[in-house]
Amino acid sequence: TEAVQAAFREVEPSLPADVVVEPALYQLREFIDRGVYNVGEALVVGAVLVLVVLFLFLLNFRTTFITLTAIPLSIVITGIVFYLFGVSINVMTLGGIAVAMGELVDDAIVVVENIHRHQQLFPQRSLVDIIPGAVDEVGGPTILATFTVIAALLPMAFVSGLMGPYMSPIPINSSLGMAISLLIAFTVTPWLVLRLM
């Protein structure tokens, strides 16, 4: 919208005197900007609430930090995938990420908690020895749980009719975010545990 208005301002001086350029009375730009801002704000509030819940139950700054890194990493990588595939960031694409917010840390929580459990079970072993077995132990159920949620969400992407184009970004982006968070839980999370715990 801004680019179109700028182009009109450039062209306007060269137009005949009887031609007047005026913006339409009803413009969606402000509405869309406000919607994207509100959803972005909801994403931030959701992340803060996830932080509070994690800190209350994990009661440890390091494990909370390790688990919480899954959220920005998942969102950034999902954004990169959007960019590579030409998907615009709008209210619905952000809404898909907001829907998946809790799931973005779910896999990392399972991995961190199981590594912590193995630390307590085998205090004489080093983290380097503990991590592969601890991650492997919860790998199957974590993958299954994530793909079960994705399988439940993804059919909404194929809704037909008028609502189809509006609804499809939510299940697609939620599923993409969850798949990326699963990869992060099995790669970045164990590495952070090794470095910080």
Side-chain angles (χ1 to χ4, degrees):
T1 303
E2 288 171 1
V4 169
Q5 288 174 348
F8 272 123
R9 281 193 296 272
E10 281 182 26
V11 173
E12 198 169 16
S14 63
L15 294 174
D18 58 341
V19 175
V20 178
V21 178
E22 292 181 6
L25 291 176
Y26 182 68
Q27 293 187 32
L28 288 175
R29 188 182 130 229
E30 291 84 9
F31 172 76
I32 292 169
D33 285 348
R34 190 169 52 252
V36 170
Y37 176 79
N38 289 341
V39 174
E41 194 175 61
L43 270 170
V44 172
V45 169
V48 169
L49 290 174
V50 168
L51 169 72
V52 169
V53 169
L54 286 174
F55 193 74
L56 287 175
F57 287 97
L58 297 178
L59 298 174
N60 182 322
F61 178 75
R62 286 183 192 175
T63 53
T64 300
F65 174 77
I66 292 166
T67 306
L68 204 61
T69 56
I71 292 176
L73 280 175
S74 297
I75 291 173
V76 167
I77 294 170
T78 303
I80 291 169
V81 173
F82 287 170
Y83 176 76
L84 293 175
F85 285 95
V87 177
S88 68
I89 294 182
N90 55 46
V91 173
M92 299 310 276
T93 55
L94 288 174
I97 296 297
V99 166
M101 185 67 73
E103 281 291 322
L104 295 182
V105 294
D106 193 38
D107 300 333
I109 290 170
V110 171
V111 169
V112 169
E113 284 297 308
N114 204 49
I115 292 170
H116 185 334
R117 186 178 74 83
H118 273 250
Q119 272 186 308
Q120 304 217 323
L121 285 173
F122 310 106
Q124 71 282 2
R125 293 176 63 195
S126 70
L127 267 175
V128 174
D129 295 330
I130 289 173
I131 288 174
V135 173
D136 185 51
E137 187 175 66
V138 294
T142 305
I143 292 168
L144 184 61
T146 302
F147 282 117
T148 302
V149 175
I150 290 172
L153 280 175
L154 215 46
M156 284 178 30
F158 303 103
V159 172
S160 60
L162 186 60
M163 289 304 292
Y166 297 106
M167 292 298 295
S168 64
I170 292 176
I172 290 170
N173 300 336
S174 297
S175 300
L176 178 62
M178 285 185 269
I180 290 168
S181 75
L182 182 66
L183 291 173
I184 289 168
F186 291 145
T187 56
V188 176
T189 301
W191 178 80
L192 282 172
V193 167
L194 184 62
R195 294 282 171 240
L196 300 178
M197 286 177 61

